[in-house]
Amino acid sequence: MATDSTLPPGHTSLGFDPDALREKYRRERDKRLRTDGNEQYVRITGDLAGFLDDPYVAPGFTREALDEEAEVAIIGGGFSGLLMGARLREAGVESLRMIEAGGDFGGTWYWNQYPGAQCDIESYIYLPLLEELDYIPKEKYSFGPEIQKHCQRIGRHFDLYSSTSFQTRVTEIRWDEDAKRWCVSTQHGDTIRARFVCSAIGPLSRPKLPGIPGVDSFEGHAFHTSRWDYNYTGGNSEGELTELHSKRVGIIGTGATAVQCIPHVGQAAEHLYVFQRTPSSIDERGNSPTDPEWVKSLEPGWQQQRINNFSILVSGGFQEVDLVSDGWTDIIRNLSSMAGKGEDLASTPEQLAAKIELADFQKMEQIRNRVDEYVRDPVIAEALKPYYRQFCKRPCFHDGYLSTFVRPNVTLVDTQGKGVERITPRGVVVDGQEYELDCLIFATGFEVGTDYAHRSDFEIFGRNQQSLTSKWKDGVETFQGVSSRGFPNCFFMGGIQSGITPNFTELYNEQSQHIAYIIAQAIERGARSVETSESAEADWVRTIQATASSNQDFQLNCTPGYYNNEGRPGEGPGWFGGTYGGSAQEFFQIMRDWRSDGKLEGFEMS
Ligand code: NDP
C-alpha cells in the first residue's frame, strides 16, 4: 500500500498502489493490442447484408418515385435530422424533404429497440426541446420507447412528417454546378433537386461484425442488437423474451448495448453464454421517477441551464452546483475535492495530470469494488473488473447487469482479451472449446473511422464530380465540422471535427442552429451557393490537429476501442476524424461568436 505526495491534507493512504495499478493497466492494454486495429471488423455487405434488414416494418415496401424540387434535403430522421428540421422550420423554410431509412423518426432509437435500451444521459438534458414542446420525461433516465415517442413528438410539432420519406435509402448525392443544386437519388428511384443538403446520418449508425473466421457460417438464428428480432425472441423492449425459454443463446460483446440487454436475455434464456473481450465499467444507475414538486419549481430557461451545467462539469470546468449529479459528473466531483474545490487547479500541468490520474484510479477502484458486492465467485468477479482509465471506454451504468452473472443459467466466457476465436455452424469457439448455441446475438457495435460513404451508404459527388471519399482519403477536412470545400451548400452534422460532449443532443442542437443560420443567411443574401474557403478549412484542420494531439498520450495508454482507433490513435480518421480538443462549451462559443459578427467569415458566396 502506498502513500503519495499528491494526496490532499487528511488523506494518508490511498488503499491501492498507483504504480502497480499503472503497470496492471499497461499489461491489460497490451493483451488487447492487435496489429489489424480497425480492420479486425467486417463490413456488413454481400452475403452478410441480411444483418441490416429492418425487422420493425413489413418487408417488401414499395412506392411511386418522387421527382421534386426542395429548398433543403435532410438525410436522416434521428435527433440530428429532427433538430435540423425544427430549426429550419423556425427559420421559415417551408420546402423541406427529409429522407429516413427506418420506418419512423428516431434514428438510433428507432434501430436500437433491444430489450432494456435506455439512455445513460439524464433525460432532462438529453431529450431536446422539452420546454418548447412542454414535455417532462417520466424518469431521470428514459427508456428507448419514451425517447422514440419524443422523436415522433418533434416530428409532429414541427410538421416534419408531411415532408419525410421513410423506408428510403439515399443511394447518391450529386452536385449540379449549372443549376447550383444537389440531386439526391434513392433506392425507390426518387430524384430530389435540393438547393441545400444536410447529412445527418448519426455517428454510430452502421452496425459492424467481428471479422472472426466463420462469422457467416452459423446455422442457428443470428442478429445484431440494432436489429432485434422479437419475432424470434418474443417480448418487447421491456423484456419478457418468452420464446427464449428453451434456447441456448450467445452474446458476443460487453459494451454499453450488451450491458443493457444481457439482464433480460439472462432472465429468459435456457442458458446464456456471454463472450467477453474487455469488461465495461459498471457504475450505479439509480433511476428514479420525476418528482412533480421539482417540475413545479422549474423556471423558464431551466433546460439550457441544466445542459450547460452538465457540459461544463464533464469537460472539467467548475460549477457551484452539480445539477445532474450522476456517474458522469462523479469523477469531476472526486477531482474537485482532491484539488481543494478548484482552489489550486492552476498548479503545474504535470501536477494537475497526476491529480486527475489519482482521482481516476480512485473512481475505477470503486467500480471494481462494486463488482465484488454483486459477484461472490472470485474468478468471475475478477474477470468482470475493468482495468483502464474511466474515459478510455464508454462508462456504463446499470443496477442489474453484474448480478446477472450469479444466475446458474448464465456463463461468462472470458476470452482473456483475445476475443472469440471462431464461429462454426453450431456455435462459438473460445480457446478451443465450442459452445453450442441456438441463437447468436452480435452486440459488437458500429462502424467508426471507416469512410463516410460507407457509414452513410451513399457517396457525395461535389464540384468537378469529386467524391467525398477521394476528398477525405488522406484525412477529414472541414470548416467548423459542418462544411467541406468542393461541396457547396452541403452541411454535415454529428460530431465530425467538432467539440464533443457525452450529451450528443447538445451538440446537435448547437449544430442545427449554426447550419440553419448559414442557410438562412444564404437565402436572405440571395446567394446561390455557399462554400467554405480553402484557407478557412486549412485553418480549422490545423486547429483540430493541434488541439487533438494533447489527448494522444492518454489515448495511447488506453485499452483498445473505438475511442482510440482500436489502440492506434492518430493513425486513422478515428472517432469523427479528430475532434476539437478544447471543451464542447468552448467550441460552441466559437460558433456563437462567429455567428454574432454576421460576417460569415470562411465562407464564399456566389
Ligand atoms: P461497442 O463498440 O461499445 O461494443 C462492442 C463490443 O463488442 C465490445 O465489448 C467489444 O469488445 C466486443 N467485441 C468486438 N469484437 C469482438 C470479438 N472478436 N470477440 C469478443 N468481443 C468482441 O458497441 P455498443 O453497441 O455496445 O455501444 C456503442 C455505443 O453506443 C456506446 O459506446 C455508446 O456511445 C452508445 N450506446 C449508448 C447507450 C446509452 O446511452 N445507454 C446504450 C448503448 C449504446 P472490446 O471492448 O474488447 O472491443
Side-chain angles (χ1 to χ4, degrees):
M1 194 178 291
T3 54
D4 192 281
S5 59
T6 55
L7 276 175
H11 287 61
T12 50
S13 170
L14 288 168
F16 58 87
D17 179 345
D19 293 332
L21 213 43
R22 212 173 284 117
E23 176 57 19
K24 169 84 173 159
Y25 283 14
R26 194 191 55 73
R27 281 201 310 274
E28 290 293 324
R29 179 205 59 182
D30 290 353
K31 254 170 42 181
R32 294 174 172 82
L33 281 177
R34 34 194 299 161
T35 49
D36 52 1
N38 221 0
E39 296 302 313
Q40 67 183 281
Y41 293 102
V42 282
R43 298 179 177 193
I44 304 183
T45 52
D47 288 348
L48 296 170
F51 277 98
L52 294 179
D53 289 348
D54 183 347
Y56 315 121
V57 290
F61 169 73
T62 55
R63 61 163 171 79
E64 291 281 295
L66 291 173
D67 187 350
E68 66 174 20
E69 306 261 326
E71 195 70 3
V72 187
I74 301 173
I75 322 300
F79 273 129
S80 56
L82 284 164
L83 281 161
M84 196 64 245
R87 298 307 180 195
L88 287 169
R89 285 284 197 244
E90 283 173 349
V93 176
E94 292 295 321
S95 169
L96 279 185
R97 171 57 53 191
M98 290 184 71
I99 300 162
E100 165 54 49
D104 203 337
F105 288 128
T108 200
W109 299 104
Y110 174 85
W111 294 109
N112 290 282
Q113 298 188 27
Y114 60 81
Q118 185 183 28
C119 186
D120 279 344
I121 302 293
E122 194 201 53
S123 60
Y124 316 125
I125 60 169
Y126 180 74
L127 295 191
L129 305 169
L130 289 181
E131 288 186 75
E132 291 88 334
L133 272 68
D134 196 21
Y135 181 72
I136 296 288
K138 294 185 210 122
E139 294 168 281
K140 189 168 168 74
Y141 300 97
S142 292
F143 284 92
E146 185 182 23
I147 304 174
Q148 226 195 318
K149 282 202 184 85
H150 192 64
C151 292
Q152 294 163 347
R153 191 173 292 117
I154 297 173
R156 284 194 303 274
H157 185 87
F158 291 96
D159 186 25
L160 299 174
Y161 273 98
S162 60
S163 306
T164 304
S165 304
F166 293 105
Q167 297 189 59
T168 303
R169 288 195 171 273
V170 169
T171 49
E172 173 189 293
I173 305 182
R174 197 176 281 273
W175 176 246
D176 178 342
E177 180 67 20
D178 296 331
K180 296 270 191 282
R181 282 189 173 262
W182 288 98
C183 182
V184 182
S185 310
T186 77
Q187 101 276 28
H188 290 300
D190 302 320
T191 304
I192 298 141
R193 286 170 300 278
R195 195 161 156 201
F196 301 95
V197 159
C198 295
S199 184
I201 61 162
L204 294 161
S205 52
R206 185 151 180 132
K208 67 181 190 293
L209 296 177
I212 310 169
V215 66
D216 55 353
S217 67
F218 182 60
E219 287 174 356
H221 197 71
F223 57 87
H224 187 274
T225 46
S226 66
R227 303 289 188 274
W228 196 273
D229 190 350
Y230 286 108
N231 281 333
Y232 180 85
T233 66
N236 55 38
S237 182
E238 288 174 16
E240 300 296 324
L241 311 173
T242 47
E243 300 298 316
L244 293 184
H245 287 342
S246 56
K247 302 284 195 294
R248 297 159 302 173
V249 183
I251 295 187
I252 300 181
T254 49
T257 299
V259 164
Q260 293 183 334
C261 67
I262 279 171
H264 290 283
V265 181
Q267 230 170 47
E270 178 190 299
H271 202 96
L272 168 64
Y273 297 93
V274 177
F275 299 98
Q276 171 184 276
R277 188 165 67 180
T278 311
S280 281
S281 81
I282 317 289
D283 207 347
E284 186 193 354
R285 169 65 305 152
N287 201 7
S288 53
T290 300
D291 174 3
E293 293 307 312
W294 170 74
V295 177
K296 278 188 213 150
S297 75
L298 296 172
E299 306 268 350
W302 70 268
Q303 194 186 20
Q304 191 58 50
Q305 189 195 0
R306 201 173 177 91
I307 290 171
N308 293 346
N309 178 269
F310 177 84
S311 180
I312 291 168
L313 280 173
V314 294
S315 54
F318 182 73
Q319 291 280 280
E320 285 292 339
V321 281
D322 178 355
L323 293 171
V324 171
S325 187
D326 70 357
W328 289 102
T329 55
D330 188 50
I331 188 164
I332 310 298
R333 267 201 303 280
N334 285 346
L335 173 62
S336 303
S337 68
M338 288 198 70
K341 296 213 164 31
E343 282 150 25
D344 63 324
L345 273 176
S347 41
T348 67
E350 292 73 25
Q351 284 170 327
L352 183 58
K355 280 178 180 162
I356 293 173
E357 187 193 39
L358 220 47
D360 198 318
F361 282 158
Q362 282 184 319
K363 178 73 204 170
M364 291 303 279
E365 278 290 289
Q366 182 195 324
I367 296 281
R368 288 185 283 268
N369 292 338
R370 198 169 170 265
V371 178
D372 294 319
E373 285 169 28
Y374 289 88
V375 183
R376 291 284 147 82
D377 182 317
V379 177
I380 301 174
E382 191 55 25
L384 287 167
K385 291 180 185 172
Y387 285 96
Y388 45 80
R389 287 187 58 174
Q390 173 143 69
F391 289 105
C392 283
K393 279 188 179 282
R394 175 70 147 68
C396 298
F397 307 88
H398 207 285
D399 297 337
Y401 176 74
L402 294 170
S403 54
T404 300
F405 294 95
V406 177
R407 298 181 66 98
N409 68 325
V410 176
T411 304
L412 177 70
V413 183
D414 182 22
T415 67
Q416 297 292 330
K418 293 195 206 79
V420 162
E421 190 176 306
R422 204 152 35 92
I423 294 178
T424 68
R426 285 182 307 276
V428 165
V429 179
V430 173
D431 219 5
Q433 183 181 342
E434 184 175 41
Y435 296 84
E436 288 195 17
L437 303 169
D438 301 300
C439 174
L440 177 56
I441 302 173
F442 290 95
T444 46
F446 302 87
E447 284 188 23
V448 171
T450 51
D451 287 345
Y452 190 87
H454 192 262
R455 275 178 289 135
S456 60
D457 216 14
F458 56 80
E459 185 58 272
I460 308 181
F461 296 95
R463 246 188 314 102
N464 305 322
Q465 308 302 323
Q466 185 186 23
S467 69
L468 189 67
T469 305
S470 80
K471 162 94 197 259
W472 287 358
K473 71 177 186 320
D474 296 324
V476 174
E477 292 175 319
T478 72
F479 175 49
Q480 300 179 335
V482 296
S483 157
S484 192
R485 182 158 177 84
F487 299 81
N489 296 8
C490 175
F491 298 97
F492 301 96
M493 299 187 74
I496 299 168
Q497 299 195 337
S498 300
I500 289 301
T501 151
N503 185 12
F504 270 41
T505 55
E506 180 193 12
L507 172 69
Y508 301 152
N509 191 25
E510 297 284 340
Q511 274 183 331
S512 61
Q513 293 178 54
H514 196 64
I515 296 169
Y517 168 81
I518 301 168
I519 291 179
Q521 284 294 311
I523 293 173
E524 197 180 308
R525 297 176 192 205
R528 294 182 75 206
S529 84
V530 49
E531 180 178 358
T532 187
S533 69
E534 212 170 319
S535 60
E537 181 168 282
D539 281 352
W540 188 253
V541 171
R542 269 195 296 275
T543 302
I544 293 296
Q545 285 164 349
T547 57
S549 59
S550 60
N551 208 10
Q552 186 100 341
D553 278 354
F554 177 85
Q555 296 291 355
L556 270 171
N557 287 314
C558 276
T559 191
Y562 73 83
Y563 277 11
N564 71 348
N565 194 35
E566 298 298 337
R568 303 169 75 168
E571 284 183 37
W575 182 223
F576 299 139
T579 55
Y580 180 75
S583 74
Q585 289 286 315
E586 277 171 40
F587 172 73
F588 300 147
Q589 198 53 49
I590 292 173
M591 300 221 283
R592 286 184 205 126
D593 291 345
W594 182 88
R595 293 200 296 274
S596 69
D597 79 7
K599 292 187 195 148
L600 294 182
E601 219 166 304
F603 278 103
E604 294 166 357
M605 301 240 183
S606 74

